[in-house]
Amino acid sequence: MAYTAPAVEEVADGVWCIGGYSVANCTVIEAEDGLIVFDTGDNEEEGAHFLEIIRESISDKPVKVIMHSHSHYALGAGAMVDDPSDVMVIGHPSVNETVQSNIRGGGAPSVYGEIGPILTARAVVQMNNLMPEEGPDARLGGVIPFGKPLAHLPATVTPEHGETMDVLDMEMQFLTKFISDDDNLTVWIPEKGIVLNNFFWPGTVNLYTLRGGVYREPTSWRDGLAMMRDLRPEILLNTHARPVVGGEECLRRLNGYMDQITLTFDQTLRGILGGLGPDEIRHEIFYPPHLAEVPENAQTYGESIHFPAAIYQYAIGWFDNDVTKLFSIHPKDQAERLVALIGGRDAVVAAAADALERNEYAWAAQLIQYVYLLDPQDAEVRQLKADALRAMGHLTTGSIPRAFLLSEARALEGKVDIPRLIPPTPETIAASPEVFVNFFRVRIDPRLSADTDRVLTFNFTGISGGPVGLHVRRGVAEYLTTPSEHYRPVDFALTLSPETWAELYLSSVSMADAIASGAVTLDTGSVAELTKVFAAFDIFDPARNITMPLPDDLSHRGFVPL
């Protein structure tokens, strides 16, 4: 299904697929006047590596056209060209905005940029960064490292759905209507019978990803596959999967892959109509054996058992019609009561150990979790939980649940630290300081600001446009794009550089120290009063930004009260 070793494969005359060097393939098409490249990797290093392979194995011609399948692998393009102004960059109409949104959130896509750092941290786990290369805990999928330099080239041409263009004397049709895990640019090259796409993956469609993210609409993914099928391609070139060659084989694979999506979605809705909740539906969906004849339907990345709950919640919300859940007690309170009912800590640990001995790993994990919530530092409990998670991780076929299960097992044993969140870099914050003033609002503590009513404005040096602001008003912080038009007068007017704001945002400097050093000029208001207002916002402490210590202890959260 996917390249397990580096390869450069010529799939048609003048068309190559470079696979096995990255989690994404790179497609190269040779034209008379230069090269067309589809997908350039996840960072500058990958783009440079792809270019090196092109020069060694394919052609010395310059890269003249770059096409981004979607936002994830549009980040290596700058390393493949000498003069970006001499290159046509083609992408989905939303790709530039999506790339910037992802970067501002820390790297991973999110519905709300404010919570991007949490999703980025979970993506680090999902993409095998905390697992070893070898041994029983070894990763099964590729690694996407975070924090490496990027070389994104924004799309300069953003065709509409169905638009046809001449690209280096080659007719291409661009299809942008349907969505997989992101807005996609699908390219149809009629003269070669080739479709380039990000709909057909080496493993079952990941309708939900454990790192979290934007809802993935199954019907759009399904219809994107049907669109490609109806073109009747002879060659299917994919962002992740190996090429599929032959018209009948393309038809068979696309139909079978599409049918598994259809079944997952339709049977989830059938379960809803049958009165089942998400925890029941995930165990009820039946996949006919013939679907396994399509190798790409193997559950090697995500697993279908995790998808119905996402569809259910999007379609009907969290409430599964079980009224006993309407006012559930706090999980820790629940654990205290259940452990007492079962017979106390020792009885629960013994029962979990017995379940583990009987190979009932999921039940063992559920049992030991009650005791773990009461004392996450209990060494015996941590090891028993790690043993249960490791046993499940070694059995799962999907690289995503394997990564989460084994990474947590290793963290419980003190072998790795799992970050709770990964904030954006100072450079990213400084590039769009007004965006991060807006994001800053969600860090306000309503207990500490319940009696505060103050307006702050931020005037960033070297940035065009007027100041932006925050109205800290009795527990909330309202973002002000144009403070001069706000109904309340300004109480604190700050002048500072974008770089200083990045330091304040990441808590590497306090407001009092920034003012004392002259990095922040307070044009209006009192330093003492401003410091008090800023004290109502959570600070970021990198040393405490890990998931395994006491989860109910604020000192171990990524953002903590000042």
Side-chain angles (χ1 to χ4, degrees):
M1 297 181 299
Y3 291 100
T4 56
V8 179
E9 183 177 1
E10 188 169 12
V11 296
D13 184 33
V15 181
W16 291 265
C17 182
I18 303 173
Y21 294 89
S22 163
V23 295
N25 300 329
C26 175
T27 298
V28 180
I29 302 172
E30 185 176 18
E32 185 69 26
D33 296 330
L35 303 178
I36 302 165
V37 175
F38 184 82
D39 282 337
T40 59
D42 196 58
N43 52 57
E44 183 179 40
E45 181 181 295
E46 287 192 358
H49 195 186
F50 280 139
L51 181 62
E52 181 182 342
I53 296 163
I54 291 170
R55 294 291 176 251
E56 290 176 353
S57 305
I58 297 175
S59 174
D60 289 328
K61 292 181 179 179
V63 175
K64 302 295 288 186
V65 178
I66 288 173
M67 297 188 287
H68 300 319
S69 67
H70 63 308
S71 66
H72 297 177
Y73 305 107
L75 306 176
M80 303 186 77
V81 302
D82 294 325
D83 182 5
S85 66
D86 193 37
V87 178
M88 176 188 291
V89 183
I90 306 174
H92 190 280
S94 73
V95 69
N96 294 339
E97 178 184 353
T98 303
V99 167
Q100 289 305 313
S101 176
N102 294 350
I103 291 173
R104 289 167 181 165
S110 60
V111 176
Y112 303 110
E114 292 90 332
I115 61 170
I118 286 286
L119 275 71
T120 299
R122 286 165 63 167
V124 165
V125 177
Q126 175 171 312
M127 298 314 302
N128 304 295
N129 287 269
L130 304 180
M131 297 168 67
E133 290 284 334
E134 298 178 344
D137 289 353
R139 61 179 177 84
L140 291 184
V143 173
I144 295 183
F146 287 77
K148 289 200 170 187
L150 307 180
H152 172 58
L153 291 183
T156 56
V157 177
T158 55
E160 296 298 326
H161 181 69
E163 186 173 338
T164 299
M165 293 170 47
D166 181 283
V167 180
L168 298 188
D169 294 328
M170 195 177 303
E171 182 184 282
M172 296 186 182
Q173 185 179 32
F174 298 94
L175 306 162
T176 61
K177 183 177 180 181
F178 301 108
I179 299 172
S180 61
D181 61 328
D182 190 13
D183 291 325
N184 286 308
L185 179 76
T186 302
V187 184
W188 168 233
I189 309 176
E191 68 180 76
K192 293 183 177 291
I194 288 176
V195 168
L196 300 99
N197 77 98
N198 179 47
F199 285 102
F200 190 75
W201 287 14
T204 187
V205 161
N206 210 25
L207 294 178
Y208 171 74
T209 176
L210 295 182
R211 63 171 167 76
V214 179
Y215 176 68
R216 298 176 174 184
E217 174 55 65
T219 60
S220 185
W221 205 321
R222 173 200 68 195
D223 293 347
L225 289 160
M227 170 189 70
M228 296 194 303
R229 175 201 63 189
D230 294 343
L231 293 171
R232 297 306 303 268
E234 288 294 323
I235 300 175
L236 203 58
L237 293 178
N238 316 292
T239 296
H240 296 289
R242 280 179 177 268
V244 180
V245 179
E248 288 305 311
E249 189 63 12
C250 288
L251 177 63
R252 183 182 79 85
R253 300 273 191 101
L254 287 168
N255 264 336
Y257 200 63
M258 183 176 70
D259 287 352
Q260 182 144 304
I261 298 175
T262 300
L263 189 147
T264 302
F265 180 67
D266 289 355
Q267 291 303 303
T268 298
L269 299 190
R270 177 173 177 251
I272 293 173
L273 289 171
L276 302 181
D279 292 337
E280 298 165 304
I281 296 172
R282 71 197 304 232
H283 295 289
E284 295 294 331
I285 293 179
F286 171 74
Y287 293 95
H290 78 275
L291 289 176
E293 296 171 5
V294 173
E296 286 78 12
N297 279 336
Q299 298 190 38
T300 55
Y301 186 43
E303 293 197 40
S304 296
I305 197 169
H306 301 133
F307 304 157
I311 298 168
Y312 188 103
Q313 180 140 347
Y314 182 80
I316 205 170
W318 68 267
F319 180 47
D320 63 1
N321 217 32
D322 179 353
V323 296
T324 67
K325 297 178 181 177
L326 289 179
F327 295 99
S328 297
I329 61 176
H330 192 282
K332 187 174 179 180
D333 188 15
Q334 182 182 103
E336 288 176 346
R337 294 166 185 252
L338 285 173
V339 168
L341 281 172
I342 296 170
R345 181 257 186 207
D346 292 346
V348 178
V349 170
D354 184 58
L356 192 61
E357 184 70 23
R358 295 195 308 270
N359 300 334
E360 297 173 351
Y361 306 129
W363 177 233
Q366 184 175 338
L367 277 174
I368 202 63
Q369 179 68 0
Y370 294 128
V371 185
Y372 176 80
L373 286 176
L374 299 182
D375 184 6
Q377 300 300 340
D378 186 316
E380 182 184 7
V381 170
R382 288 172 73 98
Q383 188 60 59
L384 191 54
K385 181 180 177 182
D387 292 343
L389 299 182
R390 177 169 283 109
M392 286 191 286
H394 287 172
L395 286 174
T396 186
T397 61
S399 68
I400 295 177
R402 176 184 173 90
F404 275 94
L405 290 164
L406 295 182
S407 294
E408 181 149 339
R410 290 167 58 77
L412 286 163
E413 295 168 337
K415 295 175 181 176
V416 296
D417 285 331
I418 299 176
R420 188 176 300 279
L421 57 84
I422 297 179
T425 64
E427 294 77 14
T428 298
I429 298 169
S432 305
E434 72 289 348
V435 170
F436 290 93
V437 171
N438 185 16
F439 287 3
F440 195 63
R441 72 185 200 285
V442 303
R443 287 162 58 174
I444 193 167
D445 186 334
R447 292 177 178 84
L448 299 178
S449 57
D451 298 322
T452 302
D453 188 3
R454 294 288 187 269
V455 173
L456 298 75
T457 61
F458 301 80
N459 183 38
F460 294 110
T461 58
I463 300 291
S464 60
V468 295
L470 290 173
H471 184 176
V472 180
R473 185 177 61 251
R474 306 192 68 180
V476 303
E478 178 186 356
Y479 176 64
L480 309 176
T481 57
T482 312
S484 60
E485 298 177 1
H486 191 54
Y487 72 91
R488 251 306 247 101
V490 173
D491 297 290
F492 307 100
L494 292 75
T495 298
L496 66 165
S497 69
E499 291 74 20
T500 297
W501 173 240
E503 292 182 306
L504 288 164
Y505 188 88
L506 295 172
S507 307
S508 57
V509 67
S510 70
M511 178 58 75
D513 288 344
I515 293 173
S517 69
V520 172
T521 301
L522 185 59
D523 302 310
T524 302
S526 154
V527 173
E529 287 297 315
L530 175 62
T531 302
K532 185 185 298 185
V533 172
F534 254 76
F537 290 85
D538 296 338
I539 65 171
F540 175 66
D541 186 346
R544 298 173 179 174
N545 184 32
I546 53 178
T547 64
M548 282 300 100
L550 291 171
D552 61 334
D553 183 346
L554 288 175
S555 68
H556 293 293
R557 292 182 180 169
F559 284 98
V560 298
L562 185 63

